Amino acid sequence: MVLSYSTRGFGTSGGLIDTAGPLDMADLSNVIDYLIANFDVDPNAIGTAGISYGSGISLLGAAHDPRIRAVAAMSTWGSLTEALYGQETPRLIWGELLTLSSGLTGNPDPIIRDTWNKVLNREDMESVYAWTGIRSPLNYVNDINANGTAVYISQNWGDNLFQPNSVLDLFSQLTVEKHIDLQPGTHAGAEIGGLLGGGDTHVLNNVHRWFAEHLKGESGAMENQKPVNMKVKFTSGYQQYDAFPVPEAYEQTFYLQPRNLFSNGRLSDSPFQSWRAQDNSINSLFDTVATTQVPLLSQILEQLDVPVLANMAHVARPHGIVFETSRQWSTMQIRGNAELSLMVQPKSDTLHLVAYLYDVNLFGTGKLITHKPITVHQTSAGDTIRVDFPLTTVAYDIPAGNKLALVIDSKDLLYAGPAGVRTIDFEFSNSEQSTLTVPLL
């Protein structure tokens, strides 16, 4: 028995869109009451499933209603705060799409647009955090664990609405039966492609298996798959692991070395050493060729094995900086979150950076591996600060003969950065190292 319903504010349902808030939780419980009262169903075998909005309601519902015994959450979120304002950087394109589409397809509560405007203008952020906090499954992990709900999650590497980092934070804290599939694609891309019959059905097949095992009691329905399945970008098939972070991975630390007049900066195995400190400067007047390219479309194309490309020689030096490893003698297998730790000196009251990792071939052309923005507010012009942040989680193999490259600039279409032209110095000294740490197999 499957019951589908339109959440409040959509379709013929009344009320205003609650964005997976308390009213939606009450509605879900009422739907379960109705199902049990009117149909011949087993009240001890209730499951919920959804893609995107429905996935968040399913996860939050599992925390609020112990009758939900299994969940399938596809293209879901862990932290709504991170989804809208991760690293204190507004997700411009996706935030506008969400607020626009809610008005076109439903009856939104005015607080949705009001909250998004606060994010864009960085106003009354305490009310933003309160509103997003009660809508973040990551804040209810203990309740899900206490209820014993079996949780299946599907997430896509290129989902720039709900980037996988906070979802994996949630997954790693779950102590219940759990499974996650991670694959290339944009938001809901892998799931909808399979649903329409034009794509990989791995996710949908696993949803059926999950419910068969945890609701129907069909032992072994998941075919002994390990809890973590990762599809490496631009490859076929999944690799299986026992947990996340991947237990087999080790951390490789690269030290950033300054560029000079004739060459890019380096990613070195050894710390920077010099008798004098050095710095490299960039400014935010223009973007560079390092970019996520066309929002949404580029991530759909990645799902079809069409990479986002940029030539390292074309990164404009006044506006971006490139750091490269030497050519690799063997395949570099990245599994997880790369971490950046930078010593920088902003020349204004706000710092905004976007970091990209590339797989660079013999001709200097790089395939985008992953990226992440960061914004630091209320900086003091001329003061050197350390900035630490993770890049978006990924699984990627750099083939032997290629280089790993880190590019940092200060603009990307996906994100809202501060207005005006800003200059940033990257600082290099023996006592304060800048590093890139990468999880490798």
Side-chain angles (χ1 to χ4, degrees):
M1 169 70 68
V2 176
L3 188 153
S4 177
Y5 73 100
S6 296
T7 54
R8 62 173 51 234
F10 288 103
T12 57
S13 293
L16 302 177
I17 297 171
D18 194 40
T19 320
L23 296 177
D24 278 320
M25 296 303 99
D27 289 345
L28 177 57
S29 291
N30 288 336
V31 168
I32 295 173
D33 291 341
Y34 173 83
L35 181 66
I36 293 171
N38 291 277
F39 297 93
D40 183 18
V41 298
D42 182 353
N44 296 312
I46 302 293
T48 58
I51 300 174
S52 189
Y53 191 46
S55 72
I57 290 176
S58 293
L59 277 174
L60 288 161
H64 287 85
D65 196 322
R67 293 176 297 180
I68 298 173
R69 305 313 306 148
V71 163
M74 295 163 277
S75 282
T76 195
W77 68 90
S79 167
L80 191 57
T81 309
E82 287 293 309
L84 296 178
Y85 194 58
Q87 284 75 48
E88 298 194 358
T89 307
R91 272 42 180 176
L92 179 62
I93 297 298
W94 279 106
E96 291 294 337
L97 281 174
L98 283 178
T99 50
L100 177 64
S101 63
S102 68
L104 293 174
T105 60
N107 187 18
D109 188 322
I111 198 174
I112 297 172
R113 169 52 73 176
D114 181 56
T115 298
W116 176 237
N117 286 338
K118 289 177 181 178
V119 169
L120 286 176
N121 297 312
R122 200 169 177 266
E123 297 174 347
D124 190 17
M125 292 307 296
E126 288 303 315
S127 71
V128 171
Y129 296 144
W131 189 83
T132 57
I134 63 173
R135 292 165 169 83
S136 297
L138 185 57
N139 294 335
Y140 298 92
V141 173
N142 291 340
D143 299 292
I144 297 173
N145 288 335
N147 289 339
T149 311
V151 177
Y152 170 87
I153 296 174
S154 168
Q155 203 70 15
N156 304 323
W157 300 128
D159 188 340
N160 289 317
L161 171 56
F162 301 138
Q163 291 173 335
N165 297 48
S166 74
V167 176
L168 283 160
D169 286 344
L170 179 147
F171 181 82
S172 67
Q173 294 179 42
L174 289 171
T175 57
V176 295
E177 290 291 318
K178 60 184 180 180
H179 182 93
I180 188 166
D181 286 324
L182 297 148
Q183 54 276 318
T186 189
H187 181 66
E191 298 86 355
I192 290 178
L195 192 66
L196 297 177
D200 189 350
T201 59
H202 173 89
V203 169
L204 296 181
N205 290 341
N206 267 353
V207 170
H208 286 285
R209 294 184 184 109
W210 192 251
F211 285 145
E213 184 156 318
H214 295 285
L215 298 182
K216 293 183 177 181
E218 296 179 11
S219 179
M222 284 296 290
E223 300 176 348
N224 297 316
Q225 295 181 53
K226 291 184 177 181
V228 178
N229 278 7
M230 290 184 174
K231 189 174 185 181
V232 180
K233 290 178 70 171
F234 310 118
T235 68
S236 60
Y238 286 78
Q239 296 179 355
Q240 299 188 19
Y241 303 98
D242 290 318
F244 187 88
V246 174
E248 295 88 344
Y250 67 95
E251 292 187 343
Q252 173 72 54
T253 296
F254 298 99
Y255 296 88
L256 277 59
Q257 313 283 344
R259 69 186 178 189
N260 58 39
L261 188 61
F262 303 105
S263 63
N264 290 326
R266 292 185 297 116
L267 295 174
S268 172
D269 293 335
S270 302
F272 171 79
Q273 294 292 330
S274 176
W275 62 274
R276 64 181 180 88
Q278 299 181 37
D279 62 62
N280 295 148
S281 295
I282 65 171
N283 67 66
S284 63
L285 181 60
F286 296 111
D287 199 359
T288 72
V289 297
T291 173
T292 54
Q293 292 188 357
V294 183
L296 187 62
L297 176 61
S298 294
Q299 287 69 52
I300 293 174
L301 293 175
E302 278 195 334
Q303 190 175 330
L304 302 174
D305 292 337
V306 179
V308 174
L309 300 175
N311 192 285
M312 298 300 99
H314 297 159
V315 175
R317 284 187 154 220
H319 315 301
I321 187 166
V322 181
F323 303 91
E324 299 176 308
T325 65
S326 57
R327 300 215 170 271
Q328 300 301 297
W329 291 100
S330 59
T331 301
M332 180 184 287
Q333 298 175 289
I334 302 173
R335 301 291 185 272
N337 305 337
E339 303 268 352
L340 261 178
S341 182
L342 302 174
M343 294 301 299
V344 294
Q345 186 182 101
K347 301 299 185 179
S348 56
D349 60 358
T350 305
L351 171 71
H352 177 72
L353 298 172
V354 188
Y356 308 85
L357 288 188
Y358 285 94
D359 164 18
V360 182
N361 66 18
L362 291 169
F363 304 101
T365 299
K367 291 182 182 179
L368 182 62
I369 300 171
T370 187
H371 79 285
K372 201 75 165 184
I374 188 167
T375 307
V376 181
H377 300 277
Q378 297 177 331
T379 56
S380 297
D383 285 355
T384 299
I385 60 173
R386 181 172 293 280
V387 179
D388 298 320
F389 62 106
L391 276 67
T392 304
T393 314
V394 74
Y396 190 98
D397 289 348
I398 299 176
N402 284 10
K403 297 179 180 180
L404 171 66
L406 166 68
V407 182
I408 305 172
D409 65 17
S410 58
K411 289 183 182 294
D412 193 283
L413 284 173
L414 282 175
Y415 308 105
V421 178
R422 297 165 186 271
T423 299
I424 306 103
D425 286 353
F426 295 85
E427 302 292 333
F428 304 90
S429 70
N430 295 351
S431 60
E432 296 287 357
Q433 302 286 331
S434 291
T435 59
L436 169 68
T437 303
V438 185
L440 301 176
L441 293 181

